Amino acid sequence: MAQFDDLYAEQPTSKFDDLYSDLPSEAPKKSRSWKDAALDTGAQIAEGAVNIVKAPVDLVAPGSAFSGTLENSRKYWYDAQSPEMKAKIAEADAKVKAAGKDGLWEEVKTAASEYATDPALAARFATTNIASMVPGLGIGKAAQVAALAKGATAAKAAGIATTAAGSTNAVLNAGGARGEAFDSIKAAHIAQGKTEAEATELALSESMLPAAVGGAAGFLSGKIGAEKALLGGVPGQAAGRAAAAKTGAKTFGTEILGEQIEEVTPQLTTNVKLNSIDGRPVTEGLGATSVQTVLGSGPMAGVGGVSAYRSERNVPTQQDVLAQEFASSVDGTNFTQTGTDQAAINAMQGIAPPTFDQIAPRQPKTPEQILTDYISGADESLDPM
């Protein structure tokens, strides 16, 4: 789940500003130092982590005292960023918001121009999104390990893992969607003359639908996106480079699409409600969210694509085949050899092979021993060794 909250107001502008556009600025913009960049990165990671902690709280109790405390913590980490970074954010957000008044496409183009062309702004969306990757993958991996320990096949364990990851993502995305919807709807009702108590009551009920949409979108994204490649990769028949690259590209695209659905659909649902309250366009902010989501989820999509490529290119070893067959039998009694030997089976069952010192060397047989073995039928091969 990506969290890209740009809650800071557009800077006031004047209709006379363009008259002075050719004049030099009063002071050149200061560039960030490497130290500032490192501190900004740390603050952005912390800001994203607070968003993740806040999401389940907002799912249950948006607008509560605990939710307010976490929001203050998020703002603290935002404010901890360097003045240069905050100035970049404010300037870009103001331009994108202004472009949004001319329609969705203008907002998309301006957002792409402002965010994607500035490495610091582009990196910010990816950095604040790092924390959102941890819960789903962590819980999914834990579920996978537990399933394998109980004897599940690799394929079944992978399905359990992606379901766990999708469920975790659903909770977090539903909470994030409800928290944002609650704040926006409450503010819209107050602007229309409702009291604080009336606006709060209305926002509590009207934020449920965005939460439901966000939860469904979050589950879908967590089930089919990069998590599937990272948790569900089971080596099969080795594919060629072209086929593996196609699989990797498909995984990359699926993750990007899933994140778009995850972020845009609950915001659109909220906008429809806001439109019924104050008449604002239902597309407001969707262009910026779409671009920010691509930038924020791009690294995760790339990791998933590479993982899918490697899984497709991986030639299963004989031990992989043995593991699959042995796992398919409850007690191993139905286990069959497929071009393997007993030593490999012993290895799968944890039986260590004998050492060289434990094996008595075979001594050459004398002619008398060979004749005796042949007469007695003990050795029909007459092999002198």
Side-chain angles (χ1 to χ4, degrees):
M1 178 190 68
Q3 293 290 333
F4 308 122
D5 301 326
D6 297 302
L7 304 177
Y8 299 88
E10 178 183 359
Q11 299 297 315
T13 59
S14 167
K15 64 181 180 179
F16 301 108
D17 285 352
D18 57 341
L19 298 177
Y20 304 97
S21 59
D22 295 331
L23 296 179
S25 57
E26 294 181 2
K29 294 182 179 179
K30 180 183 177 183
S31 299
R32 290 191 305 165
S33 66
W34 286 105
K35 179 180 178 181
D36 288 337
L39 292 175
D40 286 346
T41 299
Q44 290 160 7
I45 293 174
E47 182 184 354
V50 172
N51 284 333
I52 296 304
V53 175
K54 186 173 181 288
V57 175
D58 283 344
L59 179 60
V60 178
S64 63
F66 190 24
S67 176
T69 298
L70 291 171
E71 176 61 16
N72 290 334
S73 177
R74 188 199 67 79
K75 289 181 178 179
Y76 168 83
W77 288 112
Y78 177 89
D79 291 337
Q81 297 176 62
S82 65
E84 293 76 26
M85 187 68 218
K86 288 187 289 186
K88 282 176 176 285
I89 297 171
E91 182 179 355
D93 288 353
K95 291 180 180 179
V96 172
K97 186 175 181 180
K101 297 176 182 178
D102 296 325
L104 177 62
W105 180 237
E106 288 300 319
E107 184 177 342
V108 170
K109 291 193 297 182
T110 304
S113 175
E114 292 297 320
Y115 299 140
T117 59
D118 189 320
L121 290 177
R124 172 178 176 264
F125 298 118
T127 303
T128 54
N129 194 42
I130 288 175
S132 69
M133 305 175 189
V134 177
L137 287 175
I139 293 176
K141 177 55 71 174
Q144 186 177 41
V145 171
L148 289 172
K150 293 180 180 179
T153 64
K156 183 176 181 180
I160 293 173
T162 54
T163 298
S167 300
T168 303
N169 205 41
V171 171
L172 296 177
N173 205 52
R178 190 181 188 197
E180 293 172 10
F182 175 85
D183 292 337
S184 298
I185 293 171
K186 179 180 176 180
H189 279 304
I190 290 177
Q192 295 298 309
K194 300 290 185 182
T195 65
E196 177 84 13
E198 291 172 336
T200 298
E201 184 176 356
L202 287 169
L204 284 172
S205 62
E206 293 170 352
S207 62
M208 292 295 291
L209 181 57
V213 172
F219 179 81
L220 177 65
S221 177
K223 181 74 174 174
I224 68 172
E227 291 87 348
K228 181 178 179 180
L230 295 172
L231 297 172
V234 179
Q237 295 299 319
R241 292 183 185 276
K246 184 177 180 181
T247 299
K250 181 180 178 181
T251 299
F252 179 89
T254 301
E255 170 67 9
I256 294 294
L257 177 61
E259 289 292 329
Q260 289 289 326
I261 295 172
E262 181 178 330
E263 295 298 325
V264 172
T265 53
Q267 185 176 350
L268 177 60
T269 306
T270 300
N271 283 358
V272 170
K273 170 52 64 176
L274 293 172
N275 174 265
S276 69
I277 298 173
D278 56 19
R280 73 182 67 184
V282 295
T283 60
E284 183 177 87
L286 297 184
T289 296
S290 180
V291 173
Q292 292 168 3
T293 301
V294 171
L295 296 173
S297 60
M300 180 66 166
V303 171
V306 171
S307 178
Y309 173 86
R310 294 181 63 183
S311 180
E312 285 288 301
R313 289 287 293 162
N314 185 27
V315 180
T317 64
Q318 208 155 37
Q319 187 175 9
D320 293 329
V321 176
L322 283 166
Q324 292 286 342
E325 292 184 3
F326 191 76
S328 66
S329 176
V330 176
D331 57 4
T333 57
N334 296 327
F335 183 72
T336 59
Q337 297 187 48
T338 55
T340 59
D341 56 18
Q342 187 62 42
I345 299 174
N346 290 343
M348 290 301 303
Q349 295 175 329
I351 302 174
T355 64
F356 180 78
D357 294 335
Q358 293 173 325
I359 302 176
R362 299 180 64 185
Q363 299 295 331
K365 295 181 180 181
T366 65
E368 291 81 2
Q369 289 174 323
I370 295 174
L371 181 60
T372 301
D373 289 343
Y374 176 72
I375 294 172
S376 65
D379 189 353
E380 298 179 357
S381 68
L382 289 178
D383 181 2
M385 295 300 292

